[in-house]
Amino acid sequence: MNGRVASAGGAGSPGAARPSRVSEARSRRRIAVDRLARRVVVFGGMAIIASILAILAVIVIKFVPLFMDPEIAETGTFGPVTPGRPLVAGIDEYRQVGFFLDDRGRIQYLSLDGRDLAGPIVLPGLGEGRPVSAVAAGPGRYIVGTSIGRAVPFDLRFEVAYGEEGRTVHPRLEGGEPLDLDPDRRRPITRIASGGAPGGGILAALAGPDEIVLLRERERRALIGDSAGDIERSVLRVDVRSPVTALAIDDRGERLFAGTAAGQLLHYDLRTPAGARLIETLEASSRPGAGISVLGFLIGDRTLITGDRAGGVSSWQVVRREAGAPERLKRMHIFDPHPAGVSAFARSMRDKGFVTADESGRLMLRHGTSGSTLLRAQAPSGGIERIVMAPKGDGILALSGEGAATHWSVRDPHPGITLSILFGEVWYEGYDGPEHVWQSTGGTDDFEPKYGLTPLIFGTLKGTFYALLFAVPLALLAALYTSQFMHPSVRAFIKPGIEIMAALPSVVLGFLGGLWLAPVIERVVPALALLPWILAVLILAGAWIWRRAPAAITGRTPRGFELVLLSVIVLGGFGLALLAGGVFEGALLAGDYRTWLLQALGLTYDQRNSIVVGVAMGFAVIPMIFTITEDSLSNVPAHLTAGSLALGATRWQTALRVVLPTASPGIFSAVMIGFGRAVGETMIVLMATGNTPIMDWSIFNGFRALSANIAVELPEAPDGGTLFRILFLAAFLLFAMTFAVNTAAEIVRLRLRERYRYL
């Protein structure tokens, strides 16, 4: 028998060798599968990291051009083309043809691309006079003041044709009917300004050192046939010791500004029946006694630009400082000064940019919104007499007093975008002072975009704060009760039910919040204000009564009856709050809480407000915080709770002083994950708020978050435009916020874990 056993178990028998070979083959397969799984996991992780970095790189590439410096390049210099002094100049939108009018009455065309053009043309309608001053009265329209007191209008437009030689631009001149500003035809028109008004226009001309002639065209509309117009003439006497050196009228024909040789700026109201009323006189020069040499408006005619003989340049705006007070001029920005006296000004027809030039030939491209100087250049021909910007804002044509011309090409796709514009307070047109504003689009071409991202960041944090204020206490307390006090059989139903809430689409929550919850909350706001106090009183009273109830009653109740009793108390509290809310509103809030909020506290109630967002987005965040917190509390080692209970601690003391600190790393992670979920939420914020980008912590107002703003405006933003790139910058800020919060949360979590690891 011993021999058979030895033979059966010997090394040379087939029965002994087969299990060894199977075990080795199985081990090799397991090792191969482990290696393959490891490589798949590593590859998947690296692919995810690479994808995130690639997305981040795309976002950065999209918004980095916002902060690239603008460029200017000299593309042509033309020798003296006329012996006269240029009075007004222009350029076509393709920068192929320029022109200027000199003080000899000749219009000289200038080919900027080397093609042949017609020779000088004498301006029609001058008669015996010669040009003394000129002004651009609108796109393609100019008005010339002559030496015999007349105003000669003319139109010079550019016609574009396409042929075998490509695109060609042909200037077309049309003369207008001269207007007599000085009936005696003796005094020259040394300064002239023009403005438009509904139903007519207005022209201001300086016919002497202190006399301004105003011509108004009043249009009379006929029911049948053509409309007719009357011209009204009035004379404005300037009561200053120094002569007037510059004039400007806004495009609405409401205000006239006059600069003097002593540096004063006179502000007239042209809306009065008398013709003009002096509102104020200001010292507007950068140095006392330096004369005002240039006056002009930015596009939209809301912002006035002044330049003086000392090289100073500043912007002004009419504001109403107090309710009912008269409107006054207030300085907005002081720009970098010129090294010599300012001699020329031209505005951009695309944005709030403008260019100024001085007597030394230095020109500066600036932006009226940011108050910054974007570009500097030097004309090779010396002092600049006239300057004009191309209609597309991509070129500048400057003329010296000797008739020499210089042409620059400008590349500035995102003018005026600076960190102060994006994140600081900016003084916009129509505002009484600097503010944080986001308003990317408007109804007119002269709209001033407002790209302040601070209200959007504020709105993101505000929505997150109110959502977490609602969600965190409910989620944490529910998780604590579920894991430590709830019967396991009940917990088996409650926990999966709450986790299913996470499957609700955010668009459904936003839809319900905006269209159903918002009107409901609007009707019961006083009741909601009373609800916490009523619930607290009822719950404490119920607990006090239950503690003092006879043991014969409490002992017969089944386990868990307290939860049923608490639910009845809570439901009763809701009903009592609804009844008390109406009484409270009628007795103490004058029957309308919205009117009371506005009159007593200065708060406006918006139907879609932070309360709605807090509740709707809180329901989206609660399942995530609850699940992670409950798992962290349930995974606390049993010996810790058992030891605490064995030493005489109650379940409540054990939960607060043992379980809760031990699970604090996981709880903190749950709250931070909920924070990240709330920060990135889009559809709920988009549908449950008014999307108003205001900076107000009031719970009754709405807001606009970064994510909702991207969802709303990105589909309408032109590809590669300023708004398009700023929205990508907003996406980067959103990414940076969540990354910073998650990083800080991980650091805190690790420290908490290190602190409580030995419990």
Side-chain angles (χ1 to χ4, degrees):
M1 181 176 180
N2 291 338
R4 287 195 299 269
V5 171
S7 175
S13 63
R18 183 177 179 182
S20 177
R21 289 196 298 269
V22 171
S23 177
E24 292 177 359
R26 184 176 299 171
S27 299
R28 286 195 297 269
R29 286 196 300 270
R30 288 177 178 176
I31 293 174
V33 171
D34 289 343
R35 290 176 179 176
L36 178 61
R38 186 184 302 111
R39 291 174 182 176
V40 170
V41 171
V42 171
F43 176 78
M46 296 300 293
I48 292 174
I49 295 174
S51 300
I52 295 175
L53 293 178
I55 294 173
L56 180 61
V58 170
I59 294 175
V60 172
I61 291 172
K62 290 294 184 181
F63 77 78
V64 161
L66 287 172
F67 305 104
M68 291 185 176
D69 295 331
E71 300 175 356
I72 185 170
E74 183 179 320
T75 59
T77 302
F78 308 90
V81 292
T82 177
R85 183 174 64 90
L87 299 178
V88 69
I91 186 175
D92 76 294
E93 63 176 330
Y94 299 106
R95 298 190 291 116
Q96 292 182 343
V97 178
F99 84 92
F100 59 90
L101 170 71
D102 61 19
D103 57 359
R104 298 188 179 187
R106 297 185 303 177
I107 294 179
Q108 175 69 52
Y109 298 121
L110 188 63
S111 176
L112 302 178
D113 59 357
R115 300 188 182 186
D116 295 332
L117 294 174
I121 300 175
V122 177
L123 179 66
L126 292 176
E128 299 177 356
R130 61 179 180 83
V132 178
S133 59
V135 65
R141 185 167 182 81
Y142 306 89
I143 301 177
V144 179
T146 69
S147 58
I148 59 174
R150 306 183 77 184
V152 181
F154 71 93
D155 292 340
L156 201 154
R157 306 183 185 277
F158 298 96
E159 296 180 347
V160 181
Y162 294 89
E164 297 180 356
E165 298 180 357
R167 181 181 58 225
T168 57
V169 178
H170 303 282
R172 180 169 59 87
L173 175 66
E174 293 182 2
E177 187 69 23
L179 301 172
D180 288 326
L181 301 175
D182 181 12
D184 299 330
R185 297 188 178 183
R186 294 180 182 178
R187 294 173 296 177
I189 306 301
T190 56
R191 296 287 185 274
I192 192 168
S194 173
I202 185 168
L203 186 68
L206 184 64
D210 59 352
E211 182 178 312
I212 299 176
V213 179
L214 298 176
L215 288 186
R216 294 175 180 267
E217 182 183 2
R218 303 290 189 182
E219 185 179 0
R220 293 184 290 106
R221 298 186 178 274
L223 294 178
I224 301 176
D226 297 334
S227 300
D230 295 333
I231 296 180
E232 299 178 359
R233 183 181 183 276
S234 60
V235 177
L236 175 63
R237 296 288 180 178
V238 181
D239 187 15
V240 291
R241 297 180 179 179
S242 57
V244 174
T245 55
L247 292 176
I249 301 179
D250 65 354
D251 191 52
R252 296 170 298 280
E254 298 176 351
R255 304 182 187 279
L256 168 66
F257 299 94
T260 70
Q264 293 178 322
L265 181 62
L266 285 69
H267 177 198
Y268 291 91
D269 187 356
L270 301 179
R271 296 169 292 182
T272 60
R277 178 176 63 90
L278 179 62
I279 298 178
E280 58 183 332
T281 301
L282 302 172
E283 296 294 333
S285 60
S286 60
R287 190 176 64 192
I292 302 297
S293 57
V294 165
L295 288 178
F297 286 97
L298 301 185
I299 184 173
D301 285 31
R302 297 284 183 181
T303 301
L304 177 69
I305 302 297
T306 63
D308 57 49
R309 293 297 179 186
V313 178
S314 58
S315 62
W316 302 75
Q317 183 177 241
V318 176
V319 299
R320 189 183 299 275
R321 300 179 182 178
E322 297 179 0
E327 296 176 331
R328 292 289 186 264
L329 267 178
K330 190 173 182 180
R331 195 193 305 266
M332 298 175 63
H333 299 291
I334 298 177
F335 297 87
D336 295 340
H338 281 272
V342 180
S343 58
F345 161 85
R347 70 180 183 181
S348 170
M349 300 305 296
R350 288 295 184 93
D351 51 51
K352 299 300 179 179
F354 66 98
V355 61
T356 55
D358 61 28
E359 297 171 348
S360 68
R362 173 64 63 89
L363 65 87
M364 297 184 182
L365 179 63
R366 313 171 189 269
H367 198 270
T369 303
S370 63
S372 59
T373 300
L374 307 178
L375 291 171
R376 293 176 171 85
Q378 178 68 41
S381 55
I384 296 176
E385 189 77 17
R386 292 290 178 266
I387 195 167
V388 63
M389 292 190 70
K392 294 182 179 180
D394 57 351
I396 299 174
L397 180 64
L399 300 168
S400 67
E402 292 77 19
T406 306
H407 179 224
W408 288 274
S409 175
V410 177
R411 186 181 181 278
D412 187 16
H414 310 291
I417 298 300
T418 61
L419 291 177
S420 61
I421 287 288
L422 296 173
F423 301 103
E425 291 186 336
V426 180
W427 192 348
Y428 297 102
E429 292 180 344
Y431 289 75
D432 294 336
E435 293 185 23
H436 293 288
V437 183
W438 172 272
Q439 188 181 1
S440 60
T441 56
T444 60
D445 293 336
D446 55 12
F447 169 74
E448 183 179 29
K450 304 168 183 63
Y451 294 129
L453 292 175
T454 302
L456 306 183
I457 299 174
F458 179 87
T460 302
L461 297 177
K462 178 181 178 181
T464 303
F465 171 76
Y466 284 119
L468 294 182
L469 188 65
F470 174 79
V472 169
L474 291 179
L476 295 186
L477 293 176
L480 182 64
Y481 179 79
T482 303
S483 63
Q484 301 301 313
F485 302 99
M486 184 175 288
H487 193 275
S489 61
V490 180
R491 183 170 56 190
F493 293 97
I494 296 297
K495 184 179 179 181
I498 296 179
E499 291 175 347
I500 289 176
M501 289 173 54
L504 289 174
S506 59
V507 65
V508 174
L509 293 175
F511 176 81
L512 294 176
L515 298 183
W516 173 76
L517 183 62
V520 170
I521 290 180
E522 184 180 18
R523 293 192 295 267
V524 297
V525 167
L528 292 179
L530 296 176
L531 181 62
W533 309 100
I534 293 176
L535 285 180
V537 171
L538 291 180
I539 291 174
L540 291 177
W544 184 83
I545 294 174
W546 182 258
R547 291 288 300 271
R548 283 160 178 76
I553 298 177
T554 58
R556 295 178 181 179
T557 58
R559 183 180 180 87
F561 180 76
E562 298 88 345
L563 180 60
V564 177
L565 181 61
L566 181 62
S567 301
V568 173
I569 293 176
V570 170
L571 292 177
F574 272 94
L576 183 59
L578 291 176
L579 295 176
V583 177
F584 177 75
E585 183 178 10
L588 301 179
L589 304 182
D592 188 353
Y593 73 90
R594 285 165 294 195
T595 303
W596 183 85
L597 285 174
L598 182 61
Q599 295 178 351
L601 303 178
L603 301 175
T604 58
Y605 184 89
D606 298 330
Q607 186 183 74
R608 299 184 181 184
N609 51 40
S610 301
I611 302 176
V612 180
V613 175
V615 175
M617 192 155 60
F619 271 99
V621 175
I622 283 176
M624 186 178 302
I625 300 178
F626 170 83
T627 300
I628 300 177
T629 301
E630 202 277 337
D631 290 341
S632 300
L633 294 171
S634 299
N635 290 331
V636 172
H639 67 272
L640 294 179
T641 57
S644 176
L645 295 173
L647 292 175
T650 64
R651 293 187 63 84
W652 182 249
Q653 292 173 329
T654 302
L656 289 183
R657 299 184 182 183
V658 177
V659 177
L660 201 62
T662 306
S664 59
I667 297 174
F668 185 79
S669 297
V671 174
M672 289 298 101
I673 291 175
F675 179 89
R677 170 73 168 84
V679 166
E681 178 55 49
T682 302
M683 295 308 300
I684 296 177
V685 177
L686 180 62
M687 302 176 70
T689 68
N691 280 319
T692 51
I694 57 176
M695 297 183 63
D696 188 353
W697 280 108
S698 172
I699 200 170
F700 304 116
N701 291 336
F703 54 88
R704 176 175 287 198
L706 287 168
S707 56
N709 188 70
I710 295 171
V712 170
E713 303 208 13
L714 189 59
E716 304 296 331
D719 186 12
T722 301
L723 176 60
F724 179 83
R725 299 192 184 280
I726 289 178
L727 293 177
F728 273 91
L729 175 61
F732 176 79
L733 293 176
L734 200 59
F735 178 89
M737 289 173 60
T738 55
F739 180 80
V741 169
N742 290 335
T743 302
E746 183 64 16
I747 294 174
V748 173
R749 187 189 70 82
L750 292 176
R751 291 185 178 181
L752 291 174
R753 183 179 179 182
E754 184 68 21
R755 179 178 180 179
Y756 296 109
R757 64 182 298 183
Y758 297 110
L759 288 179

